[in-house]
Amino acid sequence: MASVDLERGGGMNGIGIGIGKNRPNTYNRPSSPYYVENTEKQWTSWLVPMFVVANVAVFVVVMYINDCPKNNLGFEGSCVAGFLGRLSFQPLRENPLFGPSSNTLKKMGALELNKVVHENQGWRLITCIWLHAGVIHLLANMLSLVFIGIRLEQQFGFVRIGLIYLLSGLGGSILSSLFIQRNISVGASGALFGLLGAMLSELLTNWTIYTSKAAALITLVIIIAVNLAVGILPHVDNFAHIGGFLTGFLLGFVLLLRPQFGWVQRQHLPAGAREKSKHKSYQYVFWVMAVVLVIVGFAMGLIMLFRGEIGYDHCRWCRYLSCVPISKWHCGNK
């Protein structure tokens, strides 16, 4: 984007796409003769495809309103793909991601601190999740959403995955607002990182039911680390990534709980067999801690945000989480 813009990164940059394939989905084989093989319901994924359709539709509407041939002043060059008419893109010098202008994104609900805090436009914390800086940005995010989200929705249903996606996007927006002061931010990357975070916590809290635990954990951690590392590049809102990831990580302990290995419903137990607890004690501990941290985190974040407090006032070194200044690039006001 142009220097006044800040987009939320390239949707895991393609790295997160394979996580659905690498994620373990095979339960341990039972040693108990009373074990009934898990036949957990597989949901039909419809919400994630609807999210994809909604994001694409919003982008088309944004480009229609942008109307480059009419509104482009020509200072940065001519519109790209002029044959598209009013759907053509801003000049590449202004927006190299093949998308609209900064002014159009602001008009349509991009995240902008001043408008959220001083103009009572808190709705931008949500609308920015559905906006994208360009075709490249949109394509990368939607591919990641399809390959990660559909698999999760099939396993856990649309309610839980929908809540994780939306709340993670909100968590990313809040953290972004606390640290990104002078640029706008758009994109679904915070919500997508929330799904990655939920996958990690789901693996940890349901540890007993999986085979190849170590390999799955290492693979997932590497994917997350690489994607977060990309966020230190200029013009990528890594605070949205981090906020979304932390929110999704905590929500995974709350919403993606599975019965422990070997648990059998009472009606399937033979006479005289001892009933096993549905969940392990550490799962309950994680659940309680996660609920408390989510409530406290959102409350503190919103209070700080609407008081107009700046995150850097409380954490000087946090600036390096989003951009590490070196000789090859300048972090600017990020």
Side-chain angles (χ1 to χ4, degrees), residues 99-143:
S101 67
S102 301
N103 288 334
T104 300
L105 288 173
K106 291 178 183 179
K107 183 191 303 182
M108 296 300 293
L111 184 60
E112 189 176 6
L113 178 67
N114 183 62
K115 292 186 179 297
V116 171
V117 176
H118 302 295
E119 299 183 25
N120 299 316
Q121 297 182 9
W123 46 268
R124 289 179 179 270
L125 295 169
I126 298 296
T127 56
C128 67
I129 303 170
W130 304 95
L131 298 172
H132 286 83
V135 172
I136 296 175
H137 188 202
L138 175 69
L139 182 63
N141 275 349
M142 293 305 100
L143 285 175

Side-chain angles (χ1 to χ4, degrees), residues 222-292:
I222 290 175
I223 290 172
I224 293 169
V226 170
N227 280 285
L228 287 174
V230 172
I232 67 174
L233 296 173
H235 310 299
V236 179
D237 185 359
N238 210 31
F239 288 114
H241 297 174
I242 295 170
F245 173 80
L246 292 176
T247 303
F249 181 72
L250 293 174
L251 289 174
F253 289 117
V254 178
L255 298 175
L256 304 186
L257 208 62
R258 295 180 189 262
Q260 65 166 308
F261 169 68
W263 175 76
V264 181
Q265 292 184 354
R266 180 173 299 176
Q267 61 266 32
H268 296 305
L269 285 173
R274 183 179 179 182
E275 183 179 2
K276 190 173 184 178
S277 174
K278 185 175 182 179
H279 299 291
K280 285 187 171 293
S281 57
Y282 75 83
Q283 290 179 298
Y284 292 114
V285 172
F286 283 160
W287 190 94
V288 173
M289 292 176 61
V291 168
V292 172

Side-chain angles (χ1 to χ4, degrees), residues 9 12 34 69 75 78 80 100 104 113 127 130 148 171 184 192 194 196 200 218 236-237 241 248 259 297-298 311 319:
M12 321 316 174
Y34 302 131
F75 298 131
S78 59
V80 178
T104 300
L113 178 67
T127 56
W130 304 95
I148 297 173
I184 67 171
L192 291 172
L196 272 180
L200 178 59
I218 291 173
V236 179
D237 185 359
H241 297 174
F298 270 102
R319 66 183 73 249

Side-chain angles (χ1 to χ4, degrees), residues 18-218:
I19 187 63
K21 298 179 181 178
N22 294 328
R23 187 172 178 273
N25 193 34
T26 304
Y27 296 138
N28 289 313
R29 288 301 172 193
S31 58
S32 168
Y34 302 131
Y35 178 83
V36 177
E37 186 173 358
N38 188 293
T39 56
E40 190 176 70
K41 178 180 179 180
Q42 288 290 304
W43 298 75
T44 299
S45 177
W46 63 268
L47 184 63
V48 168
M50 286 296 294
F51 281 164
V52 173
V53 171
N55 276 279
V56 173
V58 168
F59 183 76
V60 172
V61 171
V62 169
M63 292 307 305
Y64 183 84
I65 293 175
N66 184 68
D67 194 1
C68 181
K70 179 180 179 180
N71 299 317
N72 180 37
L73 299 178
F75 298 131
E76 301 290 345
S78 59
C79 300
V80 178
F83 61 89
L84 294 175
R86 65 184 297 160
L87 297 180
S88 58
F89 312 118
Q90 292 298 117
L92 293 181
R93 288 180 59 186
E94 180 181 353
N95 186 346
L97 298 176
F98 298 96
S101 67
S102 301
N103 288 334
T104 300
L105 288 173
K106 291 178 183 179
K107 183 191 303 182
M108 296 300 293
L111 184 60
E112 189 176 6
L113 178 67
N114 183 62
K115 292 186 179 297
V116 171
V117 176
H118 302 295
E119 299 183 25
N120 299 316
Q121 297 182 9
W123 46 268
R124 289 179 179 270
L125 295 169
I126 298 296
T127 56
C128 67
I129 303 170
W130 304 95
L131 298 172
H132 286 83
V135 172
I136 296 175
H137 188 202
L138 175 69
L139 182 63
N141 275 349
M142 293 305 100
L143 285 175
S144 297
L145 177 58
V146 166
F147 284 97
I148 297 173
I150 287 181
R151 182 67 174 271
L152 284 173
E153 187 180 356
Q154 288 174 341
Q155 291 181 332
F156 296 100
F158 68 93
V159 174
R160 287 184 281 183
I161 300 308
L163 282 173
I164 291 173
Y165 182 88
L166 295 174
L167 290 176
S168 296
L170 177 59
S173 295
I174 292 172
L175 192 65
S176 175
S177 298
L178 291 174
F179 288 94
I180 305 300
Q181 302 294 312
R182 301 182 183 179
N183 297 310
I184 67 171
S185 183
V186 294
S189 298
L192 291 172
F193 269 87
L195 295 181
L196 272 180
M199 292 177 72
L200 178 59
S201 56
E202 189 272 328
L203 175 62
L204 295 175
T205 194
N206 301 321
W207 188 256
T208 62
I209 68 175
Y210 287 108
T211 58
S212 305
K213 301 177 178 66
L217 180 60
I218 291 173

